[in-house]
Amino acid sequence: GQWTSVPLLGVVLGALIGGAVSDAVMIRTGNRRLARSGVAIVSLVIGVGCFLSAMAIPHAMTALVVITLAALLTSLSNACAY
Protein backbone atom coordinates (compact mmCIF):
# COMPACT_ATOMS: atom_id res chain seq x y z
CA GLY A 1 0.00 0.00 0.00
CA GLN A 2 2.66 2.55 0.88
CA TRP A 3 4.59 2.17 -2.39
CA THR A 4 1.64 2.59 -4.76
CA SER A 5 2.03 6.36 -4.93
CA VAL A 6 5.70 6.29 -5.96
CA PRO A 7 4.95 6.05 -9.73
CA LEU A 8 2.73 9.12 -9.35
CA LEU A 9 5.76 11.02 -8.11
CA GLY A 10 7.40 10.04 -11.39
CA VAL A 11 4.45 11.49 -13.30
CA VAL A 12 4.66 14.80 -11.45
CA LEU A 13 8.41 15.08 -11.91
CA GLY A 14 8.14 14.04 -15.55
CA ALA A 15 5.59 16.73 -16.33
CA LEU A 16 7.84 19.38 -14.80
CA ILE A 17 11.00 18.09 -16.43
CA GLY A 18 9.24 17.64 -19.77
CA GLY A 19 8.46 21.32 -20.01
CA ALA A 20 12.05 22.24 -19.28
CA VAL A 21 13.39 19.72 -21.80
CA SER A 22 10.98 20.89 -24.49
CA ASP A 23 11.90 24.52 -23.85
CA ALA A 24 15.62 23.70 -23.95
CA VAL A 25 15.25 21.91 -27.29
CA MET A 26 13.25 24.85 -28.64
CA ILE A 27 15.87 27.37 -27.54
CA ARG A 28 18.76 25.26 -28.81
CA THR A 29 17.30 24.33 -32.21
CA GLY A 30 14.64 26.95 -32.86
CA ASN A 31 12.48 24.12 -34.20
CA ARG A 32 9.09 23.99 -32.50
CA ARG A 33 8.12 20.69 -34.10
CA LEU A 34 11.29 18.98 -32.87
CA ALA A 35 10.85 20.50 -29.40
CA ARG A 36 7.32 19.16 -29.09
CA SER A 37 6.97 16.10 -31.29
CA GLY A 38 10.57 14.93 -30.97
CA VAL A 39 10.62 15.09 -27.18
CA ALA A 40 7.21 13.40 -27.00
CA ILE A 41 8.05 10.58 -29.40
CA VAL A 42 11.42 9.77 -27.85
CA SER A 43 10.16 9.87 -24.26
CA LEU A 44 7.07 7.78 -25.04
CA VAL A 45 9.02 5.10 -26.90
CA ILE A 46 11.61 4.77 -24.14
CA GLY A 47 8.89 4.88 -21.46
CA VAL A 48 6.90 2.10 -23.11
CA GLY A 49 10.09 0.06 -23.28
CA CYS A 50 10.53 0.53 -19.54
CA PHE A 51 6.93 -0.53 -18.87
CA LEU A 52 7.37 -3.65 -20.99
CA SER A 53 10.67 -4.56 -19.35
CA ALA A 54 9.16 -4.09 -15.88
CA MET A 55 6.90 -7.08 -16.48
CA ALA A 56 9.93 -9.39 -16.56
CA ILE A 57 11.52 -8.13 -13.34
CA PRO A 58 11.00 -10.59 -10.46
CA HIS A 59 12.03 -8.28 -7.61
CA ALA A 60 9.25 -5.90 -6.52
CA MET A 61 11.42 -2.91 -5.55
CA THR A 62 13.40 -3.06 -8.77
CA ALA A 63 10.16 -3.27 -10.75
CA LEU A 64 8.85 -0.28 -8.80
CA VAL A 65 11.89 1.79 -9.78
CA VAL A 66 11.53 0.81 -13.45
CA ILE A 67 7.78 1.53 -13.43
CA THR A 68 8.42 4.90 -11.81
CA LEU A 69 11.02 5.68 -14.47
CA ALA A 70 8.53 4.62 -17.15
CA ALA A 71 5.85 6.87 -15.63
CA LEU A 72 8.32 9.77 -15.56
CA LEU A 73 9.34 9.22 -19.18
CA THR A 74 5.81 8.86 -20.52
CA SER A 75 4.70 12.01 -18.72
CA LEU A 76 7.53 14.05 -20.26
CA SER A 77 5.25 14.39 -23.27
CA ASN A 78 2.45 16.04 -21.25
CA ALA A 79 4.00 19.49 -21.53
CA CYS A 80 4.43 19.01 -25.27
CA ALA A 81 0.68 18.66 -25.73
CA TYR A 82 -0.10 22.23 -24.71
Side-chain angles (χ1 to χ4, degrees):
Q2 64 186 359
W3 298 107
T4 57
S5 62
V6 173
L8 295 176
L9 179 63
V11 171
V12 171
L13 291 175
L16 294 172
I17 294 168
V21 170
S22 180
D23 289 347
V25 172
M26 177 66 184
I27 290 168
R28 187 174 187 105
T29 65
N31 186 338
R32 186 181 308 178
R33 185 178 179 115
L34 179 65
R36 293 186 180 160
S37 298
V39 170
I41 290 168
V42 170
S43 67
L44 287 172
V45 167
I46 296 171
V48 167
C50 287
F51 274 126
L52 293 175
S53 68
M55 291 188 292
I57 297 173
H59 190 261
M61 290 307 289
T62 306
L64 176 67
V65 170
V66 173
I67 290 169
T68 302
L69 176 63
L72 185 145
L73 288 168
T74 55
S75 68
L76 284 176
S77 64
N78 290 351
C80 301
Y82 293 101

